[in-house]
Amino acid sequence: MNIKEIIKRFLSFYNILIILNVIYGVIDLLSKKKLQMILGNWLSNTNYSLSIQWDIQSQVYRLFSILGHPLTNMFLIIIFISLNLAYNHYYKEKINIPIYIVYITTIIGTLVCNSKFGIVIICATFLSTILIGKKRWKNLIILIIFIFTILSFQTLKQNVIHRFLLASESGDLTNGRLTAFEFLLNSNVPLPNIFIGKGMGTSDLLLQSVSSLNNIEMPFIMYLYDYGVFNTVLIYIILYLFPIFVFIKNKHFYLCYLFTLIFVFANSYNGMAVSIGITQMLTFISMLLINMSNTFNKSILHKKID
């Protein structure tokens, strides 16, 4: 089985999974978090259940599902739109659903996940569909229609606006990330070790010793204290620079762009630094895109020879 067929089969399954997850989120939003309550009770006595309970008491909706935390769900949606766009751009064909269904699912999914930075990343992703390819004006018109239609639903729109207002009133749109970083900068905490750290969780304990905050939520900073400077640099060379080198070598700059957006969002919260699963997802997507890039170049070369 060639890599194109593997990616196609994976996306056929993944697309359905994400669509069902977004439908779940919409039902949960309209039912005022009743599905979250069921999930929280089912997963009682876990940290995830505790996060759900905190969210239930909040004034905004964010998608907690069996697939994960709102930011993890947002990460999955960014992967969803990016893989579909990459496949459509390079192979010139859809998977198992029309591209406009991908657009609609992405927009609604982004709104129910209610991630401020996720909205920025999705806007940057959609911008690429307008700037690249032969259907720029068609994509622009379709996106404008979809966005305005979806935002006409007041429940979705007000939920997102309310979260932005709450973050603005707190004085930190990053929900404490910059505040945590400032605490580290302004405190007499030791600098990260060069070659070896003190293990996972060290950065959070360090922050807790100088503030009332629980975690930094910046993987790069967390890695520095948890594993040391050298290992942090090595992690980022393997996770980011190596795939980017492959894409640039193969002159697949659109893959560079899409992968960078995926990677930037993955680094916008602490998932990579505290959960092996997030890193595994990122490396799996890297593997798919690297293989797509390498085999796509070979297929073009064979066609020219033939």
Side-chain angles (χ1 to χ4, degrees):
M1 188 185 300
N2 59 39
I3 189 63
K4 178 184 175 182
E5 188 61 28
I6 291 172
I7 295 172
K8 188 172 184 177
R9 290 193 178 189
F10 168 74
L11 266 179
S12 296
F13 164 77
Y14 188 71
N15 285 348
I16 298 300
L17 179 68
I18 296 302
I19 290 171
L20 290 175
N21 197 44
V22 170
I23 291 173
Y24 167 94
V26 172
I27 294 171
D28 192 31
L29 171 64
L30 295 177
S31 68
K32 298 183 178 179
K33 305 185 181 182
K34 287 185 179 179
L35 295 180
Q36 275 191 35
M37 294 177 191
I38 295 172
L39 184 61
N41 291 332
W42 183 45
L43 300 171
S44 60
N45 300 319
T46 64
N47 289 332
Y48 191 57
S49 177
L50 185 61
S51 295
I52 291 175
Q53 296 306 319
W54 285 342
D55 189 76
I56 288 173
Q57 296 169 20
S58 71
Q59 301 175 49
V60 296
Y61 178 83
R62 302 175 73 200
L63 175 57
F64 283 85
S65 74
I66 198 168
L67 296 185
H69 181 278
L71 293 177
T72 299
N73 282 312
M74 188 69 244
F75 180 53
L76 294 173
I77 286 171
I78 292 169
I79 291 172
F80 166 75
I81 181 69
S82 298
L83 286 184
N84 276 283
L85 288 177
Y87 189 93
N88 187 265
H89 179 78
Y90 288 103
Y91 294 124
K92 309 300 180 187
E93 61 179 70
K94 64 182 181 181
I95 306 297
N96 57 336
I97 56 174
I99 196 66
Y100 68 84
I101 297 295
V102 174
Y103 292 167
I104 293 173
T105 302
T106 300
I107 296 168
I108 296 176
T110 300
L111 294 177
V112 294
C113 287
N114 212 352
S115 163
K116 297 185 296 295
F117 191 57
I119 292 172
V120 174
I121 293 293
I122 290 301
C123 287
T125 306
F126 279 139
L127 181 63
S128 72
T129 68
I130 299 167
L131 299 177
I132 296 174
K134 298 178 180 179
K135 300 179 180 179
R136 300 174 188 177
W137 288 106
K138 181 181 177 181
N139 285 332
L140 176 60
I141 293 169
I142 289 173
L143 284 172
I144 290 174
I145 292 171
F146 286 163
I147 290 170
F148 277 96
T149 302
I150 291 168
L151 288 179
S152 67
F153 294 96
Q154 290 299 313
T155 304
L156 282 171
K157 184 170 71 174
Q158 290 302 321
N159 184 54
V160 173
I161 291 173
H162 191 51
R163 183 153 194 262
F164 271 91
L165 290 175
L166 289 175
S168 178
E169 289 172 4
S170 72
D172 186 355
L173 284 174
T174 65
N175 280 16
R177 290 172 178 81
L178 289 180
T179 303
F181 187 52
E182 287 174 3
F183 267 113
L184 286 182
L185 287 178
N186 298 326
S187 304
N188 293 321
V189 297
L191 293 173
N193 291 326
I194 299 298
F195 291 105
I196 191 167
K198 296 182 180 179
M200 183 184 291
T202 300
S203 54
D204 286 345
L205 292 174
L206 192 63
L207 177 66
Q208 292 163 17
S209 70
V210 297
S211 74
S212 59
L213 300 173
N214 290 322
N215 46 59
I216 299 174
E217 296 218 31
M218 292 181 175
F220 181 77
I221 304 299
M222 297 173 76
Y223 285 150
L224 288 174
Y225 283 100
D226 293 357
Y227 307 118
V229 176
F230 175 80
N231 290 314
T232 299
V233 172
L234 189 60
I235 287 170
Y236 279 87
I237 288 173
I238 294 170
L239 291 183
Y240 180 69
L241 292 183
F242 175 72
I244 290 297
F245 170 78
V246 173
F247 303 147
I248 292 175
K249 182 191 65 158
N250 292 332
K251 298 182 179 179
H252 292 155
F253 301 110
Y254 191 43
L255 285 183
C256 277
Y257 181 78
L258 293 174
F259 180 73
T260 296
L261 292 179
I262 293 171
F263 189 82
V264 168
F265 185 81
N267 278 269
S268 69
Y269 69 111
N270 63 351
M272 278 177 58
V274 300
S275 171
I276 296 173
I278 302 297
T279 306
Q280 287 176 328
M281 281 190 278
L282 182 63
T283 52
F284 177 76
I285 298 307
S286 302
M287 177 195 71
L288 286 182
L289 294 179
I290 287 170
N291 278 281
M292 175 190 284
S293 180
N294 284 334
T295 56
F296 186 77
N297 260 22
K298 289 178 182 177
S299 65
I300 290 177
L301 181 62
H302 288 157
K303 287 179 181 178
K304 287 181 179 179
I305 293 173
D306 293 340

